Amino acid sequence: MGDPDHRGLIAAVADVLDTHVRADATVVLGVSGGPDSVALLHLVAAARPDLRLVVGHVRHGLRDDVLDAEATAANAGLLGASMVVLPVTVGEGAGPEDAARRARHAALLELARDHGAVALLLGHTADDQAETLLLRIARGTGPDGLAGMRPAAERDGVLVVRPMLGLRRADVHAVSAPHATVTDPTNTDDPEQRRGRARRETLPSLSRLRPDDGDPVPALARLADLVADDVALLDGIAVPPGSVRRVGAAVVVDTPADTDVAALRRRVRTGWALLPGPHRSAPDAETVSRVLGLPDGQRVDVPGGVRASMTGDTVVLLDPAVPSWTPRPLPVDTEVALPELGLAYVLTTAVAGRVATPAAAGAPPWTAEVAMPTSGADGVVVRPRLAAGDRGIRKVLQRVPAALRDQVPIVVAADGTVLLVGDRTIAPAVAGQPCLRIGVAADASGPTGYRGGP
């Protein structure tokens, strides 16, 4: 990688990584064995030798891909990077390409979380950006689709970085040319692959509309950057803070009647992007209209495996396939994380009304004091509501949209006394008496958690 011809590429990748990835961190790289991803691996290794590289190689099982794995392993071994092979089952999507992409990204995101990586690095180039825009235009995309891929964006709690998004494919292939690579024949030979058709047919046709240089890729990439700036401005106006938020595995979208339709559409699309799991494709206008047109108390299942329900002026988006979270014991003086809800709990014993000691200066930002139960501090748990029972808190939960009730954490003592429901104290402490102090904070390993009491 000391070849002077590649110094500019290395510097460009370093600029992106230096902006988004801290020093001496672990990163996961999606490497298929193709020339783009192999170049990504070598450029990242040269640009940031301080990083710990974990190569994620996805095997879709759609064709004989043994050579892909061998090429990936050869390059990872050459650079001293660890490699993890990720077999996946390709489910349903908007087509075979879309389904494979969803499965691939889900596996890589999980690998990044498992390794505590600060980022997942993908090998998209400016040419990929141009092809993406063409495919979205053909689908009738809106401004969000025209914004294309971004150099860095959070996805399911993982920062996804595309260090080569400003580089051309031909230049990138020059980096990987001396190394072992494999070309997926479906990218070049399969007439049913839409991205391949955009590459072979549409882009050459567009080149004839640019007699000056015959290259439409820079113009399309520039279009994506310009629209992304506009989208950021529109989001700031149409999606005010708190109007769209994660609540456990669900997303809540505020849709007051006095908000114009265009702003409501942006809020729903923003909420869609916050859903955990492979629901990344922005919903089309018809789907958004169905969601916003739901009568109060009704729900609808829409494409992508998303269930939408309406309660008053609130839309709840949820993946019904996401399993419910499980109860956790709350031992005294031990932080307990609920990554499914994006929360962390700390239980301590105290005297109600007394200021926390300096030793507790690092306590969570929100704290409740509840009466010491007859069973004492042992056996306290945080759990979701019970399918049967919990009659004493039914009225409290009635104020929560039905689709969210399983996302509300309930703290219960060993003797069955309900102490907290969400952030509502059910058994308040008496000043001067022994109590349990329950601290709640956001958990960095999970999504934005439960906000607001029932």
Side-chain angles (χ1 to χ4, degrees):
M1 291 302 301
D3 187 339
D5 291 342
H6 301 320
R7 288 178 182 173
L9 304 183
I10 295 170
V13 168
D15 284 344
V16 177
L17 294 176
D18 291 349
T19 300
H20 300 289
V21 179
R22 61 175 171 80
D24 300 316
T26 296
V27 294
V28 167
L29 300 89
V31 181
S32 66
D36 292 359
S37 60
V38 167
L40 170 72
L41 177 57
H42 285 273
L43 286 171
V44 169
R48 288 289 300 273
D50 60 300
L51 297 178
R52 292 179 293 277
L53 309 183
V54 178
V55 172
H57 176 73
V58 177
R59 301 193 70 172
H60 301 90
L62 300 176
R63 61 178 179 82
D64 185 359
D65 54 4
V66 173
L67 294 179
D68 304 56
E70 291 177 351
T72 302
N75 285 282
L78 182 65
L79 296 172
S82 61
M83 175 179 165
V84 180
V85 177
L86 304 167
V88 299
T89 300
V90 178
E92 296 182 356
E97 295 171 89
D98 179 69
R101 177 182 59 82
R102 289 174 184 268
R104 178 170 63 252
H105 285 183
L108 290 170
L109 289 168
E110 183 176 359
L111 179 65
R113 286 189 290 266
D114 289 346
H115 280 72
V118 300
L120 166 63
L121 311 185
L122 300 178
H124 297 108
T125 65
D127 298 76
D128 293 306
Q129 180 80 295
E131 293 160 7
T132 296
L133 256 64
L134 292 176
L135 293 173
R136 292 181 179 180
I137 290 170
R139 198 175 65 223
T141 191
D144 294 288
L146 284 177
M149 298 178 285
R150 296 292 85 211
E154 185 175 334
R155 177 170 173 179
D156 290 353
V158 176
L159 181 65
V160 178
V161 181
R162 296 175 170 88
M164 305 192 308
L165 197 59
L167 305 181
R168 298 304 302 271
R169 181 178 290 139
D171 296 330
V172 164
H173 284 192
V175 174
S176 58
H179 305 289
T181 62
V182 176
T183 301
D184 183 351
T186 61
N187 287 337
T188 56
D189 302 333
D190 189 348
E192 298 303 318
Q193 293 287 342
R194 295 180 302 152
R195 182 172 290 273
R197 296 183 67 177
R199 182 178 307 172
R200 296 188 303 272
E201 301 172 14
T202 311
L203 280 172
S205 295
L206 284 178
S207 68
R208 292 192 285 272
L209 299 179
R210 292 181 57 83
D212 49 347
D213 58 14
D215 187 1
V217 169
L220 289 168
R222 184 169 63 251
L223 170 63
D225 290 339
L226 293 172
V227 176
D229 291 339
D230 291 343
V231 167
L233 177 62
L234 289 172
D235 282 344
I237 298 171
V239 190
S243 63
V244 178
R245 59 196 184 279
R246 279 281 294 272
V247 179
V251 174
V252 178
V253 182
D254 176 33
T255 64
D258 59 351
T259 305
D260 65 70
V261 174
L264 293 182
R265 291 182 182 277
R266 294 204 66 76
R267 290 188 193 182
V268 170
R269 289 194 171 101
T270 299
W272 219 274
L274 293 179
L275 276 172
H279 308 296
R280 312 316 302 178
S281 298
D284 57 29
E286 180 181 355
T287 297
V288 175
S289 295
R290 289 178 66 194
V291 170
L292 291 175
L294 280 173
D296 188 14
Q298 298 296 307
R299 72 185 189 188
V300 63
D301 290 335
V302 292
V306 177
R307 175 169 295 166
S309 62
M310 178 72 76
T311 302
D313 291 337
T314 300
V315 171
V316 176
L317 303 173
L318 180 69
D319 178 358
V322 173
S324 178
W325 55 286
T326 57
R328 307 283 204 285
L330 295 182
V332 175
D333 296 328
T334 303
E335 182 176 289
V336 176
L338 278 72
E340 304 94 330
L341 302 184
L343 298 175
Y345 280 70
V346 176
L347 179 71
T348 57
T349 58
V351 175
R354 292 190 181 177
V355 178
T357 63
W366 179 77
T367 303
E369 292 184 340
V370 298
M372 180 73 74
T374 58
S375 55
D378 296 328
V380 178
V381 300
V382 57
R383 61 165 174 79
R385 65 170 179 162
L386 299 178
D390 283 342
R391 294 179 181 272
I393 63 172
R394 184 171 297 174
K395 289 184 179 180
V396 177
L397 288 176
Q398 281 178 346
R399 301 176 58 185
V400 179
L404 289 179
R405 290 173 189 166
D406 288 332
Q407 310 297 317
V408 177
I410 301 169
V411 179
V412 184
D415 61 3
T417 303
V418 176
L419 306 176
L420 283 180
V421 178
D423 56 8
R424 182 168 179 172
T425 302
I426 303 300
V430 177
Q433 297 296 313
C435 73
L436 295 180
R437 185 172 286 150
I438 305 171
V440 186
D443 172 32
S445 67
T448 301
Y450 181 84
R451 296 183 183 176

